[in-house]
Amino acid sequence: MYVNNYPKEGKFERYGGQFVPEVLMSALEELDSAYTTFRDDPEFRRELDVYLRDFAGRPTPLFFARQLSRKLGVKVYLKREDLVHGGAHKLNNTLGQALLAKRMNKERVIAETGAGQHGVATAIAAVAFGLKPEIYMGVEDMERQRLNVFRMKLLGAKVHPVKSGSKTLKDAINEALRDWVTNVKTTYYLLGSVVGPHPYPMIVRDFQRIIGKETKKQILEKEGRLPDALIACVGGGSNAIGMFYDFLDDGVSMYGIEAGGEGVETGRHASPLVAGGEGVLHGALSYVLQDGYGQISTTHSISAGLDYPGVGPEHSFLKIKKRVKYDCITDDEALDAFKLLTETEGIMPALESAHAVAYACKLAEAEKMSKDQIIVINLSGRGDKDVMIVAEKTGLKI
Amino acid sequence: MRIADKFQELSEKGALIVYLMAGDPSPGLTKNIVKALEEGGADMIELGLPFSDPIADGPTIQAASERALKAGMNPDDYFGIIKEIREDADIPLICLTYYNLVLHRGIGRFMRDCVESGINGIIIPDLPIEEARQTISEANKNDVDFIPLIAPTSTEDRMRVISSAAHGFIYLVSLLGVTGARKELSVAVKDMVDKVRRAAKREVPIAVGFGLSSPGHVRDVIRAGADGAIVGSALVDIIAQNKDNEEKMLREIRDFVAQLKEGTIID
């Protein structure tokens, strides 16, 4: 009832669609038909599965976090997407799409990146399949994620600094779209989240579904039952939809956690589902943060990967269906959770994933969960890239 | 004057359609710039309503959007300025903006504001025909011409569907890419114009835009069989270069438009 394997006319009820310049319409149709052909092609699946297993390191473990569980009084499992090659769930999608690009005979791939994780994952997948990657990244993000910029360059990617607008992810997508409009015949646009025009939200979701599929199998093996709650952070929403999708019809509670920044009441945040309204951004109708005229707002989050005024249309659909509860966590709460997980379990989460960890702590208390109940947190990425930010925010010098 | 009447009045001559970002460099100047465009010989004027994320625009018009937004331009003031311009201008005025501003205001309300302020047509570059049903019906209801875009990548089927929804004219994008002045035009303009003409089941004028920056380009486009030529970024450049000297800005605009206009007259 909540599952849309092939969204009709590219929409999840009213959300989604294709709000793009006419130049791109034929490219989206070409992509849609190529994907429809290859998604069920055994040869394509086999090649992708080999890469997911032997290159990306799948399946990733479902780890029982003993210390954290004791502390919170509830069983906490971590889906270890931080262990995927490259350091985040992003590679699940980039391997799939890079293989698709190759099958479509497109040599040049472009991508946008916020925190740099999708840029790095794109560059890795491009090397794996012999493609030429070019990455658009806002200069503000380049500054706060210097390490990832360097990793991309080491991997042979060309990084284009984006100086327009707010100089973050939103503007990197604008610039990637402009590139695609110009080079549409030779170029594959490898979008990194479940945003953008149809068929991207569907394609990216499908390549990320493996997270939830594995989790379901693993939790049944370990606990003999499904979890009580799933928690994932939401920027564009790819790790969350990947975790949620295969549980949608199972009656498991789900929580999508946006970036609350300095607090929703301050206006300095990135929580479109919690505090935004409907609008069209980057080719889709979905929840967005905008002013009274429909101008897109600038956002704020400590986490570059969540610092985006829009969200995937399928999340908007799940919100109005009340299937997933969307809430937010502030910068400070995320920092505390980063430290908590590091100290209790010896796992440094990405600041993005730390939002989900922080929410688990809140949820366990608010719902008075018992020690037999099970929470699964999607630990979407590892925190190495964020240690400089953590040091700066806590007043430490490295 | 309606867009169709203007094409009729020009008869065999091509139409010069020029673009201006409303509120650039400041809302107070827009009316004077429109006047200069008209005096220079423009046949129709597209007035951009700036959006925060203009994905179909190159650096020139992006910068103009940022200037206009910074100067406080918004839809309320936009329609106010159009009303003022209308007080003493009969030239067809066309609104060019992105879909979220239309959607947010309410599609019906936006079209009513258009017609009440004196806008004759509307162009929304991120609204392809599949998503445009309600917008077209509200535009038609309010007598605002819905001007759709056709691109070099549009299939013949799409051309047919798009042209059947067109009012005023069809905006034919001459190249793959975003807006912005180019040195050379695509050599395939004639082919594209012919293709659109064949695909269209009825008579509807075709105007070519994107990349046109000189009287030579205007001439090439009209010679290629188009009914109109659209020049934007090259004019926006003049405004950007002279934003502190209104007199010089208006003089250069008048002179440049006059030169462009000569390009529309084919012997």
Side-chain angles (χ1 to χ4, degrees):
Chain A
M1 159 182 175
Y2 300 105
V3 163
N4 285 284
N5 284 335
Y6 194 91
K8 194 166 164 271
E9 292 177 354
K11 291 195 168 106
F12 305 92
E13 288 196 357
R14 57 189 271 108
Y15 300 105
Q18 296 179 316
F19 298 88
V20 295
E22 172 65 18
V23 176
L24 293 182
M25 291 304 287
S26 58
L28 291 174
E29 205 179 300
E30 183 193 356
L31 176 61
D32 197 5
S33 92
Y35 177 66
T36 312
T37 307
F38 289 121
R39 78 195 289 186
D40 301 318
D41 174 39
E43 195 51 45
F44 183 87
R45 273 312 326 174
R46 204 170 310 131
E47 190 171 357
L48 181 57
D49 286 346
V50 168
Y51 270 88
L52 286 171
R53 188 185 67 218
D54 300 342
F55 185 70
R58 305 208 70 92
T60 57
L62 183 68
F63 173 67
F64 177 56
R66 195 175 309 272
Q67 274 83 246
L68 187 63
S69 297
R70 196 172 304 140
K71 200 171 161 67
L72 301 184
V74 62
K75 286 185 181 172
V76 179
Y77 281 88
L78 305 175
K79 179 60 174 167
R80 298 294 307 277
E81 292 301 297
D82 59 318
L83 296 178
V84 175
H85 177 40
H89 71 291
K90 293 291 184 187
L91 194 67
N92 304 331
N93 168 48
T94 59
L95 283 175
Q97 285 199 63
L99 191 56
L100 186 59
K102 202 174 154 76
R103 293 290 169 98
M104 291 171 72
N105 295 316
K106 308 265 182 186
E107 245 186 39
R108 180 176 181 265
V109 293
I110 55 169
E112 80 296 336
T113 197
Q117 290 302 109
H118 175 59
V120 169
T122 299
I124 291 172
V127 173
F129 294 117
L131 304 165
K132 293 192 198 98
E134 295 185 28
I135 314 292
Y136 288 90
M137 189 171 189
V139 289
E140 190 183 312
D141 290 337
M142 288 178 75
E143 178 57 31
R144 55 181 166 174
Q145 297 290 350
R146 267 168 292 178
L147 197 61
N148 273 341
V149 175
F150 188 55
R151 291 166 82 198
M152 284 183 258
K153 287 180 181 166
L154 287 173
L155 288 158
K158 196 164 165 188
V159 181
H160 297 284
V162 176
K163 297 181 187 113
S164 56
S166 61
K167 306 172 180 60
T168 59
L169 179 58
K170 165 180 86 92
D171 309 283
I173 297 179
N174 289 342
E175 220 44 63
L177 282 168
R178 290 179 187 122
D179 180 316
W180 202 29
V181 166
T182 309
N183 302 298
V184 62
K185 287 189 173 154
T186 58
T187 299
Y188 183 96
Y189 181 18
L190 208 164
L191 236 171
S193 193
V194 286
V195 300
H198 175 77
Y200 283 108
M202 170 182 74
I203 292 177
V204 179
R205 175 200 70 200
D206 286 354
F207 287 134
Q208 293 294 359
R209 275 179 67 179
I210 193 159
I211 302 172
K213 275 186 197 159
E214 286 177 8
T215 301
K216 198 171 195 175
K217 186 159 169 267
Q218 290 164 322
I219 198 74
L220 288 173
E221 277 165 18
K222 286 173 198 287
E223 293 283 348
R225 70 176 185 90
L226 295 175
D228 297 283
L230 302 174
I231 305 177
C233 64
V234 178
S238 71
N239 89 81
I241 210 82
M243 173 57 95
F244 296 163
Y245 197 74
D246 278 69
F247 291 94
L248 281 176
D249 288 339
D250 286 338
V252 175
S253 299
M254 298 176 181
Y255 301 88
I257 308 307
E258 299 189 296
E262 293 172 9
V264 164
E265 66 288 349
T266 66
R268 285 179 54 76
H269 61 88
S271 303
L273 288 164
V274 171
E278 286 181 10
V280 167
L281 174 66
H282 296 148
L285 177 73
S286 192
Y287 273 72
V288 297
L289 290 169
Q290 57 195 337
D291 72 6
Y293 293 113
Q295 306 290 1
I296 305 303
S297 307
T298 50
T299 51
H300 167 81
S301 169
I302 191 171
S303 141
L306 304 182
D307 203 353
Y308 179 61
V311 68
E314 196 163 12
H315 284 293
S316 295
F317 164 75
L318 294 170
K319 174 191 158 78
I320 54 145
K321 290 284 165 198
K322 297 189 163 58
R323 177 62 189 93
V324 177
K325 182 175 160 53
Y326 294 93
D327 207 331
C328 61
I329 282 292
T330 64
D331 289 350
D332 289 343
E333 291 170 324
L335 271 172
D336 288 345
F338 176 95
K339 282 182 244 168
L340 176 71
L341 196 67
T342 303
E343 287 162 13
T344 56
E345 299 292 346
I347 297 172
M348 259 180 241
L351 282 173
E352 289 79 10
S353 323
H355 285 72
V357 175
Y359 195 77
C361 303
K362 275 191 163 173
L363 185 70
E365 198 180 317
E367 298 286 315
K368 298 191 172 53
M369 292 179 81
S370 74
K371 61 182 193 332
D372 300 325
Q373 288 186 286
I374 303 166
I375 294 177
V376 175
I377 300 171
N378 194 18
L379 206 69
S380 55
R382 70 177 181 223
D384 306 52
K385 68 181 174 61
D386 294 320
V387 293
M388 296 297 280
I389 295 166
V390 173
E392 188 192 311
K393 295 286 172 192
T394 46
L396 298 170
K397 276 229 166 73
I398 298 180
Chain B
M1 179 185 274
R2 301 177 49 107
I3 295 170
D5 297 339
K6 177 54 95 172
F7 277 112
Q8 194 140 43
E9 177 191 284
L10 289 166
S11 126
E12 292 302 298
K13 278 181 284 185
L16 175 65
I17 305 167
V18 295
Y19 171 90
L20 164 69
M21 176 64 76
D24 172 34
S26 70
L29 271 182
T30 300
K31 193 176 175 180
N32 291 351
I33 299 175
V34 166
K35 195 148 178 264
L37 293 168
E38 213 184 343
E39 286 168 359
D43 297 306
M44 303 180 206
I45 299 174
E46 294 175 13
L47 276 139
L49 168 60
F51 178 54
S52 53
D53 293 81
I55 53 172
D57 285 305
T60 302
I61 293 178
Q62 282 176 52
S65 304
E66 280 184 32
R67 283 194 298 271
L69 287 171
K70 213 171 264 170
M73 198 64 214
N74 65 49
D76 293 337
D77 292 353
Y78 177 86
F79 290 117
I81 289 174
I82 300 291
K83 241 178 231 167
E84 278 178 40
I85 293 170
R86 240 331 149 227
E87 282 169 9
D88 43 35
D90 191 37
I91 190 168
L93 298 175
I94 297 158
C95 171
L96 196 151
T97 194
Y98 286 83
Y99 186 53
N100 199 44
L101 297 187
V102 180
L103 184 70
H104 197 79
R105 197 171 186 84
I107 299 171
R109 181 180 166 208
F110 196 98
M111 296 306 164
R112 280 193 299 281
D113 286 341
C114 279
V115 72
E116 279 165 18
S117 63
I119 289 283
N120 304 92
I122 186 162
I123 301 170
I124 309 173
D126 63 341
L127 187 67
I129 201 77
E130 285 82 349
E131 308 284 359
R133 198 174 311 147
Q134 198 191 345
T135 304
I136 291 171
S137 108
E138 289 292 341
N140 291 348
K141 209 179 342 175
N142 287 287
D143 231 358
V144 175
D145 287 338
F146 181 82
I147 299 163
L149 293 100
I150 286 181
T153 51
S154 303
T155 58
E156 225 177 285
D157 276 349
R158 292 187 65 80
M159 286 183 186
R160 197 163 20 247
V161 177
I162 293 168
S163 56
S164 72
H167 285 84
F169 60 88
I170 292 167
Y171 191 133
L172 177 59
V173 175
S174 68
L175 48 79
L176 295 176
V178 292
T179 58
R182 311 288 202 282
K183 285 210 179 72
E184 309 236 344
L185 270 197
S186 159
V187 285
V189 171
K190 187 171 186 326
D191 275 358
M192 280 190 284
V193 171
D194 289 347
K195 238 201 243 169
V196 176
R197 245 290 184 243
R198 271 199 309 274
K201 275 184 281 189
R202 60 198 182 83
E203 279 285 308
V204 50
I206 298 168
V208 175
F210 278 45
L212 278 67
S213 67
S214 70
H217 289 165
V218 171
R219 186 169 295 118
D220 290 348
V221 159
I222 301 299
R223 273 216 182 110
D227 305 286
I230 307 168
V231 178
S233 295
L235 276 157
V236 173
D237 277 333
I238 295 179
I239 292 169
Q241 282 155 16
N242 298 287
K243 52 180 185 292
D244 302 317
N245 187 343
E246 184 183 344
E247 202 184 317
K248 183 158 169 270
M249 179 202 292
L250 297 178
R251 192 175 58 238
E252 287 194 15
I253 287 172
R254 260 191 307 266
D255 292 350
F256 185 56
V257 171
Q259 290 167 28
L260 293 173
K261 179 65 190 172
E262 281 175 30
T264 63
I265 302 158
I266 308 292
D267 330 313

